[in-house]
Amino acid sequence: MSVLAAASTPSVATQLFGSGLIGLREGLEAGIVVMILAAYLVKAQRRDALKWVWLGVAIAVAMVAIIFFAIHYGTSTVDGLTAEIIAGVASLVAVVIVTIMVLWMRTAAKNISGDLKAGMEKALIAGPVAILSLSFFAVGREGVETALLMVGYAENTAGSSWPLVGLLLGILLAAVLTVAMYFGALRLNLTTFFRYTAIFLIVVAAGILSYGVRALQTGNVLPGGSNLAFNLTPGYDPSTWYGTVLAGIFNFRPDPTVLQAVAWVVYLVVVLALFLRPLPSKPTEPTAPPAHDTHVPEKS
């Protein structure tokens, strides 16, 4: 188990809230993907192909669970500097994957429905394996992002199982909301929802990056472990509500190193700027000038 993780454990409520929000966002993304695929098959009167969609989803979920527990088991069964190095590397990988996915979804979200329907149309022609593969990769992409993000997020909870419970509750709520949207019982502004939760994930990822840098400094992979940017420890109580929220959700430390602080600030400024920049507008086709009247009146 990581030495940094063992230093202080966030409250149960903090662990549930942070991981639950991650589960809700990622679960909704995956749920919307499945909803689009299922709705297309129903509309195309190909209900017989639904079983391949569900099988692909089940395999994706199993793969994600294996990835999560393999990484978590690897970081929780070793001690000392090796644990710090593994935790640091896992955190940095999680940050890279999450950043790529968040920035990709920024531009891909508006076309995802059409792309999935076009993919399913081709898959129906290709056969069951293609249908299974389409649903597997569509859901698995979101799942791998969740697994890596949760590994990095849960590293500071001293082996607690509450982050996993919160994640499952968030996914369950996402499933309920997805079903409600499918049957028209709920209307949700997904653009606004995904925009603000993506900003939340970017801030969380910045904290995971900071945590990973400190872990690698502790493991003597990166220099500067003793060079503190500031030290608020004397007047900072990690057991307060704000202390547990900052530590449990954003991986905040009252005594960050200079490299930690620089990495946190640079990541947040650069990634938020990339995410919040306006999307390029599609070039409008030039309006053709009105055609001249070339009609020649018939002679009488």
Coordinates of all heavy atoms in Angstrom, one line a residue, residues 40-132:
Y40 N -31.6 1.8 -32.3 CA -31.4 1.6 -33.7 C -31.9 0.2 -34.2 O -32.6 0.1 -35.2 CB -30.0 1.8 -34.1 CG -29.7 1.6 -35.6 CD1 -29.9 2.6 -36.5 CD2 -29.3 0.4 -36.1 CE1 -29.7 2.4 -37.9 CE2 -29.1 0.2 -37.5 CZ -29.3 1.2 -38.4 OH -29.1 1.0 -39.7
L41 N -31.5 -0.8 -33.4 CA -31.9 -2.2 -33.7 C -33.4 -2.4 -33.6 O -34.0 -3.1 -34.5 CB -31.2 -3.2 -32.8 CG -29.7 -3.3 -33.0 CD1 -29.0 -4.2 -32.0 CD2 -29.3 -3.8 -34.4
V42 N -34.0 -1.8 -32.6 CA -35.5 -1.9 -32.5 C -36.2 -1.2 -33.6 O -37.1 -1.7 -34.2 CB -35.9 -1.3 -31.1 CG1 -37.4 -1.2 -31.1 CG2 -35.4 -2.1 -30.0
K43 N -35.7 0.0 -34.0 CA -36.3 0.7 -35.1 C -36.1 0.0 -36.4 O -37.0 0.0 -37.3 CB -35.7 2.1 -35.2 CG -36.4 3.0 -36.2 CD -35.8 4.4 -36.2 CE -36.5 5.3 -37.2 NZ -36.0 6.7 -37.1
A44 N -35.0 -0.7 -36.6 CA -34.7 -1.5 -37.8 C -35.3 -2.8 -37.8 O -35.1 -3.6 -38.7 CB -33.2 -1.6 -38.0
Q45 N -36.1 -3.1 -36.7 CA -36.8 -4.4 -36.5 C -35.7 -5.6 -36.6 O -36.0 -6.6 -37.2 CB -37.8 -4.6 -37.6 CG -38.9 -3.6 -37.5 CD -40.0 -3.8 -38.6 OE1 -39.9 -4.6 -39.5 NE2 -41.1 -3.1 -38.4
R46 N -34.6 -5.4 -35.9 CA -33.6 -6.4 -35.7 C -33.4 -6.7 -34.2 O -32.3 -6.7 -33.8 CB -32.3 -5.9 -36.4 CG -32.4 -5.9 -37.9 CD -32.6 -7.3 -38.5 NE -31.6 -8.3 -37.9 CZ -30.4 -8.5 -38.5 NH1 -30.1 -7.9 -39.6 NH2 -29.6 -9.4 -37.9
R47 N -34.5 -7.0 -33.5 CA -34.3 -7.3 -32.1 C -33.5 -8.5 -31.9 O -33.0 -8.7 -30.8 CB -35.7 -7.5 -31.5 CG -36.5 -6.2 -31.4 CD -37.9 -6.5 -30.9 NE -38.8 -5.3 -30.8 CZ -38.8 -4.5 -29.7 NH1 -38.1 -4.8 -28.6 NH2 -39.6 -3.4 -29.7
D48 N -33.4 -9.4 -32.9 CA -32.6 -10.6 -32.8 C -31.2 -10.3 -32.5 O -30.4 -11.1 -32.0 CB -32.8 -11.5 -34.0 CG -32.3 -10.7 -35.3 OD1 -33.0 -9.7 -35.6 OD2 -31.4 -11.2 -35.9
A49 N -30.7 -9.1 -33.0 CA -29.3 -8.8 -32.8 C -29.0 -8.1 -31.5 O -27.8 -7.9 -31.1 CB -28.9 -7.8 -33.9
L50 N -30.0 -7.9 -30.7 CA -29.8 -7.2 -29.4 C -28.9 -8.1 -28.4 O -28.1 -7.6 -27.7 CB -31.1 -6.9 -28.7 CG -31.9 -5.7 -29.2 CD1 -33.3 -5.7 -28.5 CD2 -31.2 -4.4 -28.9
K51 N -29.1 -9.4 -28.6 CA -28.3 -10.3 -27.7 C -26.8 -10.1 -27.9 O -26.0 -10.3 -27.0 CB -28.7 -11.8 -27.9 CG -28.5 -12.3 -29.3 CD -28.9 -13.8 -29.3 CE -28.7 -14.4 -30.7 NZ -29.7 -13.8 -31.7
W52 N -26.4 -9.8 -29.1 CA -25.0 -9.6 -29.4 C -24.5 -8.3 -28.8 O -23.3 -8.2 -28.4 CB -24.7 -9.6 -30.9 CG -25.1 -11.0 -31.5 CD1 -26.2 -11.2 -32.3 CD2 -24.5 -12.2 -31.3 NE1 -26.2 -12.5 -32.7 CE2 -25.2 -13.2 -32.0 CE3 -23.4 -12.7 -30.5 CZ2 -24.9 -14.5 -32.0 CZ3 -23.1 -14.0 -30.5 CH2 -23.8 -14.9 -31.2
V53 N -25.4 -7.3 -28.8 CA -25.0 -6.0 -28.1 C -24.8 -6.2 -26.6 O -23.8 -5.8 -26.0 CB -26.1 -5.0 -28.3 CG1 -25.9 -3.7 -27.5 CG2 -26.2 -4.6 -29.8
W54 N -25.8 -7.0 -26.0 CA -25.6 -7.2 -24.5 C -24.4 -8.1 -24.2 O -23.8 -7.9 -23.2 CB -26.9 -7.9 -24.0 CG -28.2 -7.1 -24.2 CD1 -29.3 -7.4 -24.8 CD2 -28.4 -5.7 -23.8 NE1 -30.2 -6.4 -24.8 CE2 -29.7 -5.3 -24.2 CE3 -27.6 -4.7 -23.2 CZ2 -30.2 -4.1 -24.0 CZ3 -28.1 -3.5 -23.0 CH2 -29.4 -3.1 -23.4
L55 N -24.1 -9.0 -25.1 CA -22.9 -9.8 -24.9 C -21.7 -9.0 -25.0 O -20.7 -9.1 -24.2 CB -22.9 -11.0 -25.9 CG -21.7 -12.0 -25.7 CD1 -21.7 -12.6 -24.4 CD2 -21.8 -13.0 -26.8
G56 N -21.6 -8.1 -25.9 CA -20.5 -7.2 -26.1 C -20.3 -6.3 -24.8 O -19.2 -6.1 -24.4
V57 N -21.4 -5.8 -24.3 CA -21.4 -5.0 -23.1 C -20.9 -5.8 -21.9 O -20.1 -5.3 -21.1 CB -22.8 -4.4 -22.8 CG1 -22.9 -3.8 -21.5 CG2 -23.2 -3.4 -23.9
A58 N -21.4 -7.0 -21.8 CA -21.0 -7.9 -20.7 C -19.5 -8.2 -20.7 O -18.8 -8.1 -19.7 CB -21.8 -9.2 -20.7
I59 N -18.9 -8.4 -21.9 CA -17.5 -8.7 -22.0 C -16.7 -7.5 -21.7 O -15.7 -7.5 -21.0 CB -17.2 -9.2 -23.4 CG1 -17.9 -10.5 -23.7 CG2 -15.7 -9.3 -23.6 CD1 -17.7 -11.0 -25.1
A60 N -17.2 -6.3 -22.1 CA -16.5 -5.0 -21.8 C -16.5 -4.8 -20.3 O -15.4 -4.4 -19.8 CB -17.2 -3.9 -22.5
V61 N -17.6 -5.0 -19.6 CA -17.6 -4.8 -18.2 C -16.7 -5.7 -17.5 O -16.0 -5.3 -16.5 CB -19.1 -5.0 -17.7 CG1 -19.1 -5.0 -16.2 CG2 -20.0 -3.9 -18.2
A62 N -16.6 -7.0 -17.9 CA -15.7 -8.0 -17.3 C -14.3 -7.5 -17.5 O -13.4 -7.6 -16.6 CB -16.0 -9.4 -17.9
M63 N -14.0 -7.1 -18.7 CA -12.6 -6.6 -19.0 C -12.2 -5.4 -18.1 O -11.1 -5.4 -17.6 CB -12.5 -6.2 -20.5 CG -11.1 -5.6 -20.8 SD -11.1 -4.7 -22.4 CE -12.1 -3.2 -22.0
V64 N -13.1 -4.5 -17.9 CA -12.9 -3.3 -17.1 C -12.6 -3.8 -15.6 O -11.7 -3.3 -15.0 CB -14.0 -2.3 -17.2 CG1 -13.9 -1.2 -16.1 CG2 -14.1 -1.7 -18.6
A65 N -13.4 -4.7 -15.1 CA -13.3 -5.2 -13.8 C -11.9 -5.8 -13.6 O -11.2 -5.6 -12.6 CB -14.4 -6.2 -13.4
I66 N -11.5 -6.6 -14.6 CA -10.2 -7.3 -14.5 C -9.0 -6.2 -14.5 O -8.1 -6.3 -13.7 CB -10.0 -8.2 -15.7 CG1 -10.9 -9.4 -15.6 CG2 -8.5 -8.7 -15.8 CD1 -11.0 -10.3 -16.8
I67 N -9.1 -5.2 -15.4 CA -8.1 -4.1 -15.4 C -8.1 -3.4 -14.0 O -7.0 -3.2 -13.5 CB -8.4 -3.1 -16.5 CG1 -8.2 -3.8 -17.9 CG2 -7.5 -1.9 -16.4 CD1 -8.7 -2.9 -19.0
F68 N -9.2 -3.1 -13.5 CA -9.3 -2.4 -12.2 C -8.6 -3.2 -11.1 O -7.7 -2.7 -10.4 CB -10.7 -2.0 -11.9 CG -10.8 -1.3 -10.5 CD1 -10.6 0.0 -10.4 CD2 -11.2 -2.1 -9.4 CE1 -10.7 0.6 -9.1 CE2 -11.3 -1.5 -8.1 CZ -11.0 -0.1 -8.0
F69 N -9.1 -4.4 -11.0 CA -8.5 -5.2 -9.8 C -7.1 -5.6 -10.1 O -6.3 -5.8 -9.1 CB -9.4 -6.5 -9.6 CG -10.8 -6.1 -9.0 CD1 -11.9 -6.2 -9.7 CD2 -10.8 -5.7 -7.7 CE1 -13.1 -5.9 -9.1 CE2 -12.0 -5.4 -7.1 CZ -13.2 -5.5 -7.8
A70 N -6.7 -5.8 -11.3 CA -5.3 -6.2 -11.6 C -4.4 -5.0 -11.1 O -3.3 -5.2 -10.4 CB -5.1 -6.5 -13.0
I71 N -4.7 -3.8 -11.5 CA -3.9 -2.6 -11.2 C -4.0 -2.4 -9.7 O -2.9 -2.1 -9.0 CB -4.3 -1.4 -12.0 CG1 -4.1 -1.6 -13.5 CG2 -3.5 -0.2 -11.5 CD1 -4.6 -0.5 -14.3
H72 N -5.2 -2.4 -9.1 CA -5.4 -2.2 -7.7 C -4.6 -3.2 -6.9 O -4.0 -2.9 -5.9 CB -6.8 -2.1 -7.4 CG -7.1 -1.7 -5.9 ND1 -6.8 -0.5 -5.5 CD2 -7.7 -2.4 -4.9 CE1 -7.1 -0.4 -4.2 NE2 -7.7 -1.5 -3.8
Y73 N -4.7 -4.5 -7.3 CA -4.0 -5.5 -6.6 C -2.5 -5.3 -6.6 O -1.8 -5.5 -5.6 CB -4.4 -6.9 -7.2 CG -3.7 -8.1 -6.5 CD1 -4.2 -8.6 -5.3 CD2 -2.6 -8.7 -7.1 CE1 -3.6 -9.7 -4.7 CE2 -2.0 -9.8 -6.5 CZ -2.5 -10.2 -5.3 OH -1.8 -11.3 -4.7
G74 N -2.1 -4.9 -7.8 CA -0.6 -4.7 -7.9 C -0.1 -3.6 -7.1 O 1.0 -3.7 -6.6
T75 N -0.9 -2.5 -6.8 CA -0.5 -1.4 -6.0 C -0.7 -1.6 -4.5 O -0.1 -0.9 -3.7 CB -1.2 -0.1 -6.5 OG1 -2.6 -0.3 -6.3 CG2 -0.9 0.2 -7.9
S76 N -1.5 -2.6 -4.2 CA -1.9 -2.8 -2.8 C -1.1 -4.0 -2.1 O -1.2 -4.2 -0.9 CB -3.4 -3.0 -2.6 OG -3.8 -4.2 -3.3
T77 N -0.4 -4.8 -2.9 CA 0.3 -5.9 -2.3 C 1.8 -5.8 -2.2 O 2.5 -6.7 -1.9 CB 0.0 -7.2 -3.2 OG1 0.4 -6.9 -4.6 CG2 -1.5 -7.6 -3.2
V78 N 2.2 -4.6 -2.6 CA 3.7 -4.3 -2.4 C 3.8 -3.1 -1.5 O 2.9 -2.3 -1.3 CB 4.3 -3.9 -3.8 CG1 4.4 -5.2 -4.6 CG2 3.6 -2.8 -4.5
D79 N 5.0 -3.0 -0.8 CA 5.2 -1.9 0.1 C 6.5 -1.1 -0.2 O 7.2 -1.5 -1.1 CB 5.4 -2.5 1.6 CG 4.1 -3.2 2.0 OD1 3.1 -2.6 2.0 OD2 4.2 -4.4 2.5
G80 N 6.7 0.0 0.5 CA 7.9 0.7 0.4 C 8.0 1.5 -0.9 O 6.9 1.9 -1.5
L81 N 9.2 1.7 -1.4 CA 9.4 2.5 -2.6 C 8.8 1.9 -3.8 O 8.4 2.6 -4.7 CB 10.9 2.7 -2.8 CG 11.7 3.5 -1.6 CD1 13.1 3.7 -2.0 CD2 11.0 4.8 -1.3
T82 N 8.8 0.6 -3.9 CA 8.2 -0.1 -5.1 C 6.7 0.3 -5.2 O 6.2 0.6 -6.3 CB 8.3 -1.6 -5.0 OG1 9.7 -1.9 -4.9 CG2 7.8 -2.3 -6.2
A83 N 6.0 0.3 -4.1 CA 4.6 0.7 -4.1 C 4.4 2.1 -4.6 O 3.5 2.4 -5.3 CB 4.0 0.6 -2.7
E84 N 5.3 3.0 -4.2 CA 5.2 4.4 -4.6 C 5.4 4.6 -6.1 O 4.7 5.3 -6.8 CB 6.3 5.3 -3.9 CG 6.1 5.3 -2.4 CD 4.8 5.9 -1.9 OE1 4.1 6.6 -2.7 OE2 4.3 5.5 -0.8
I85 N 6.4 3.8 -6.6 CA 6.7 3.9 -8.1 C 5.5 3.3 -8.9 O 5.1 3.9 -9.9 CB 8.0 3.1 -8.4 CG1 9.2 3.8 -7.7 CG2 8.2 3.0 -9.9 CD1 10.4 3.0 -7.8
I86 N 4.9 2.2 -8.5 CA 3.8 1.6 -9.2 C 2.6 2.6 -9.1 O 1.9 2.8 -10.1 CB 3.4 0.3 -8.6 CG1 4.5 -0.8 -8.8 CG2 2.1 -0.3 -9.2 CD1 4.3 -2.1 -8.2
A87 N 2.3 3.1 -7.9 CA 1.2 4.1 -7.8 C 1.4 5.3 -8.6 O 0.5 5.8 -9.2 CB 1.1 4.5 -6.3
G88 N 2.7 5.8 -8.7 CA 3.0 7.0 -9.5 C 2.8 6.7 -10.9 O 2.1 7.6 -11.6
V89 N 3.3 5.6 -11.4 CA 3.1 5.3 -12.9 C 1.7 5.1 -13.2 O 1.2 5.6 -14.2 CB 4.0 4.1 -13.2 CG1 3.7 3.6 -14.6 CG2 5.5 4.4 -13.1
A90 N 0.9 4.3 -12.4 CA -0.5 4.1 -12.6 C -1.3 5.4 -12.7 O -2.2 5.6 -13.5 CB -1.1 3.2 -11.5
S91 N -0.9 6.4 -11.8 CA -1.6 7.6 -11.7 C -1.3 8.4 -13.0 O -2.3 9.1 -13.6 CB -1.1 8.4 -10.5 OG -1.5 7.8 -9.3
L92 N -0.1 8.5 -13.5 CA 0.2 9.2 -14.7 C -0.4 8.6 -15.9 O -0.9 9.4 -16.8 CB 1.8 9.2 -14.9 CG 2.6 10.0 -13.8 CD1 4.0 10.0 -14.2 CD2 2.0 11.3 -13.5
V93 N -0.5 7.3 -16.0 CA -1.2 6.6 -17.1 C -2.7 7.0 -17.1 O -3.3 7.3 -18.1 CB -1.0 5.1 -17.0 CG1 -1.9 4.4 -18.1 CG2 0.4 4.7 -17.3
A94 N -3.3 7.0 -15.9 CA -4.7 7.4 -15.7 C -4.9 8.8 -16.2 O -5.9 9.1 -16.9 CB -5.1 7.2 -14.3
V95 N -4.0 9.7 -15.9 CA -4.2 11.1 -16.3 C -4.1 11.2 -17.8 O -4.9 12.0 -18.4 CB -3.1 12.0 -15.6 CG1 -3.1 13.4 -16.2 CG2 -3.3 12.1 -14.1
V96 N -3.2 10.6 -18.4 CA -3.0 10.6 -19.9 C -4.3 10.1 -20.6 O -4.9 10.8 -21.5 CB -1.8 9.8 -20.3 CG1 -1.8 9.7 -21.9 CG2 -0.5 10.5 -19.9
I97 N -4.8 8.9 -20.1 CA -6.0 8.3 -20.8 C -7.2 9.2 -20.6 O -8.0 9.5 -21.5 CB -6.2 6.9 -20.2 CG1 -5.1 6.0 -20.5 CG2 -7.5 6.4 -20.8 CD1 -4.8 5.8 -22.0
V98 N -7.4 9.7 -19.3 CA -8.6 10.5 -19.0 C -8.5 11.8 -19.8 O -9.5 12.3 -20.4 CB -8.7 10.8 -17.5 CG1 -9.8 11.8 -17.2 CG2 -9.0 9.5 -16.8
T99 N -7.4 12.4 -19.9 CA -7.2 13.7 -20.6 C -7.6 13.5 -22.1 O -8.3 14.3 -22.7 CB -5.8 14.2 -20.5 OG1 -5.5 14.4 -19.1 CG2 -5.7 15.6 -21.2
I100 N -7.0 12.5 -22.7 CA -7.3 12.2 -24.1 C -8.8 12.0 -24.4 O -9.4 12.5 -25.3 CB -6.5 10.9 -24.6 CG1 -5.0 11.3 -24.6 CG2 -7.0 10.5 -26.0 CD1 -4.1 10.1 -24.9
M101 N -9.4 11.2 -23.5 CA -10.9 10.9 -23.7 C -11.7 12.1 -23.5 O -12.7 12.3 -24.2 CB -11.3 9.8 -22.7 CG -10.7 8.4 -23.0 SD -11.0 7.9 -24.7 CE -12.8 7.8 -24.6
V102 N -11.4 13.0 -22.5 CA -12.2 14.2 -22.2 C -12.1 15.1 -23.4 O -13.1 15.7 -23.9 CB -11.7 14.9 -20.9 CG1 -12.3 16.3 -20.8 CG2 -12.2 14.1 -19.7
L103 N -10.9 15.3 -23.9 CA -10.7 16.2 -25.1 C -11.3 15.6 -26.3 O -11.9 16.4 -27.2 CB -9.2 16.5 -25.3 CG -8.6 17.3 -24.1 CD1 -7.1 17.5 -24.5 CD2 -9.2 18.6 -23.9
W104 N -11.3 14.3 -26.5 CA -11.9 13.7 -27.6 C -13.4 13.8 -27.6 O -14.0 14.1 -28.6 CB -11.5 12.2 -27.7 CG -12.2 11.4 -28.8 CD1 -11.8 11.4 -30.1 CD2 -13.3 10.6 -28.7 NE1 -12.7 10.6 -30.8 CE2 -13.6 10.1 -30.0 CE3 -14.1 10.2 -27.6 CZ2 -14.7 9.2 -30.2 CZ3 -15.2 9.3 -27.9 CH2 -15.4 8.9 -29.1
M105 N -14.0 13.6 -26.4 CA -15.5 13.7 -26.3 C -15.9 15.1 -26.6 O -17.1 15.3 -27.0 CB -15.9 13.2 -24.9 CG -16.1 11.7 -24.8 SD -17.3 11.0 -25.9 CE -18.8 11.8 -25.2
R106 N -15.1 16.1 -26.3 CA -15.5 17.5 -26.6 C -15.9 17.7 -28.0 O -16.9 18.4 -28.3 CB -14.3 18.4 -26.2 CG -14.4 19.8 -26.6 CD -13.2 20.6 -26.2 NE -13.2 21.9 -26.8 CZ -12.8 22.3 -28.0 NH1 -12.3 21.4 -28.8 NH2 -12.9 23.5 -28.4
T107 N -15.2 17.1 -28.9 CA -15.5 17.3 -30.4 C -16.4 16.1 -30.9 O -17.1 16.3 -31.9 CB -14.3 17.4 -31.2 OG1 -13.4 16.2 -30.9 CG2 -13.5 18.6 -30.8
A108 N -16.3 14.9 -30.3 CA -17.0 13.8 -30.9 C -18.4 13.6 -30.4 O -19.2 12.9 -31.0 CB -16.2 12.5 -30.5
A109 N -18.8 14.3 -29.3 CA -20.1 14.1 -28.7 C -21.2 14.4 -29.6 O -22.2 13.7 -29.7 CB -20.2 14.9 -27.4
K110 N -21.1 15.5 -30.4 CA -22.2 15.9 -31.3 C -22.4 14.9 -32.5 O -23.5 14.9 -33.1 CB -21.9 17.3 -31.8 CG -20.7 17.5 -32.6 CD -20.5 18.9 -33.1 CE -19.2 19.0 -33.9 NZ -19.0 20.4 -34.4
N111 N -21.4 14.1 -32.8 CA -21.5 13.2 -33.9 C -21.6 11.7 -33.5 O -21.7 10.9 -34.4 CB -20.3 13.4 -34.8 CG -20.2 14.8 -35.4 OD1 -21.1 15.4 -35.8 ND2 -18.9 15.3 -35.5
I112 N -21.6 11.5 -32.2 CA -21.5 10.1 -31.7 C -22.7 9.3 -32.1 O -22.6 8.1 -32.5 CB -21.3 10.1 -30.2 CG1 -20.9 8.6 -29.8 CG2 -22.5 10.5 -29.4 CD1 -20.4 8.5 -28.4
S113 N -23.9 9.9 -32.1 CA -25.1 9.2 -32.4 C -25.1 8.7 -33.9 O -25.3 7.5 -34.2 CB -26.4 10.0 -32.2 OG -27.5 9.3 -32.6
G114 N -24.8 9.6 -34.8 CA -24.7 9.3 -36.2 C -23.6 8.3 -36.5 O -23.8 7.3 -37.3
D115 N -22.5 8.4 -35.8 CA -21.4 7.4 -36.1 C -21.7 6.0 -35.6 O -21.4 5.0 -36.3 CB -20.1 7.9 -35.3 CG -19.5 9.2 -35.9 OD1 -19.9 9.5 -37.0 OD2 -18.7 9.9 -35.2
L116 N -22.4 6.0 -34.4 CA -22.8 4.7 -33.9 C -23.9 4.0 -34.8 O -23.8 2.8 -35.1 CB -23.4 4.8 -32.5 CG -22.3 5.0 -31.4 CD1 -23.0 5.4 -30.1 CD2 -21.4 3.8 -31.2
K117 N -24.8 4.8 -35.3 CA -25.9 4.2 -36.2 C -25.2 3.8 -37.5 O -25.6 2.7 -38.0 CB -26.9 5.3 -36.4 CG -27.8 5.6 -35.2 CD -28.8 6.7 -35.5 CE -29.6 7.0 -34.3 NZ -30.5 8.2 -34.5
A118 N -24.3 4.5 -38.0 CA -23.6 4.1 -39.3 C -22.8 2.8 -39.0 O -22.8 1.9 -39.9 CB -22.7 5.2 -39.8
G119 N -22.2 2.8 -37.9 CA -21.4 1.6 -37.5 C -22.3 0.4 -37.4 O -21.9 -0.7 -37.8
M120 N -23.4 0.5 -36.7 CA -24.3 -0.6 -36.6 C -24.9 -1.0 -37.9 O -25.2 -2.3 -38.1 CB -25.5 -0.2 -35.6 CG -26.5 -1.3 -35.3 SD -25.7 -2.9 -34.7 CE -25.3 -2.4 -33.0
E121 N -25.2 -0.1 -38.8 CA -25.7 -0.5 -40.1 C -24.7 -1.4 -40.8 O -25.1 -2.4 -41.4 CB -26.0 0.8 -40.9 CG -26.6 0.5 -42.3 CD -26.9 1.8 -43.0 OE1 -26.5 2.9 -42.6 OE2 -27.5 1.7 -44.1
K122 N -23.5 -1.1 -40.7 CA -22.4 -1.9 -41.4 C -22.3 -3.2 -40.6 O -22.1 -4.3 -41.2 CB -21.1 -1.2 -41.4 CG -21.1 0.1 -42.3 CD -19.8 0.8 -42.2 CE -19.8 2.1 -43.1 NZ -18.6 2.9 -42.9
A123 N -22.4 -3.2 -39.3 CA -22.2 -4.4 -38.5 C -23.3 -5.4 -38.7 O -23.1 -6.6 -38.7 CB -22.2 -4.0 -37.0
L124 N -24.5 -4.9 -39.0 CA -25.7 -5.8 -39.3 C -25.4 -6.6 -40.6 O -25.8 -7.8 -40.7 CB -27.0 -5.0 -39.4 CG -27.6 -4.5 -38.1 CD1 -28.7 -3.6 -38.4 CD2 -28.0 -5.7 -37.2
I125 N -24.7 -6.0 -41.5 CA -24.4 -6.7 -42.7 C -23.3 -7.7 -42.5 O -23.3 -8.8 -43.0 CB -24.0 -5.6 -43.8 CG1 -25.2 -4.7 -44.1 CG2 -23.6 -6.4 -45.1 CD1 -24.8 -3.6 -45.0
A126 N -22.3 -7.3 -41.7 CA -21.1 -8.1 -41.5 C -21.4 -9.3 -40.6 O -20.8 -10.4 -40.8 CB -20.0 -7.3 -40.8
G127 N -22.4 -9.2 -39.6 CA -22.7 -10.4 -38.9 C -22.6 -10.2 -37.4 O -22.2 -9.1 -36.9
P128 N -22.9 -11.2 -36.5 CA -22.9 -11.1 -35.1 C -21.5 -10.6 -34.5 O -21.5 -9.9 -33.5 CB -23.2 -12.5 -34.6 CG -23.9 -13.1 -35.8 CD -23.3 -12.5 -37.0
V129 N -20.4 -11.1 -35.0 CA -19.1 -10.7 -34.4 C -18.9 -9.2 -34.6 O -18.4 -8.6 -33.6 CB -18.0 -11.5 -35.1 CG1 -16.6 -11.0 -34.6 CG2 -18.1 -13.0 -34.9
A130 N -19.3 -8.6 -35.7 CA -19.2 -7.2 -35.9 C -20.1 -6.4 -34.9 O -19.6 -5.4 -34.3 CB -19.5 -6.8 -37.3
I131 N -21.3 -6.9 -34.7 CA -22.2 -6.3 -33.7 C -21.6 -6.3 -32.3 O -21.6 -5.3 -31.6 CB -23.6 -6.9 -33.8 CG1 -24.2 -6.8 -35.2 CG2 -24.5 -6.3 -32.7 CD1 -25.4 -7.6 -35.3
L132 N -21.1 -7.5 -31.9 CA -20.5 -7.7 -30.6 C -19.3 -6.8 -30.4 O -19.1 -6.1 -29.4 CB -20.1 -9.1 -30.4 CG -19.6 -9.6 -29.1 CD1 -19.9 -11.0 -28.8 CD2 -18.1 -9.4 -29.0

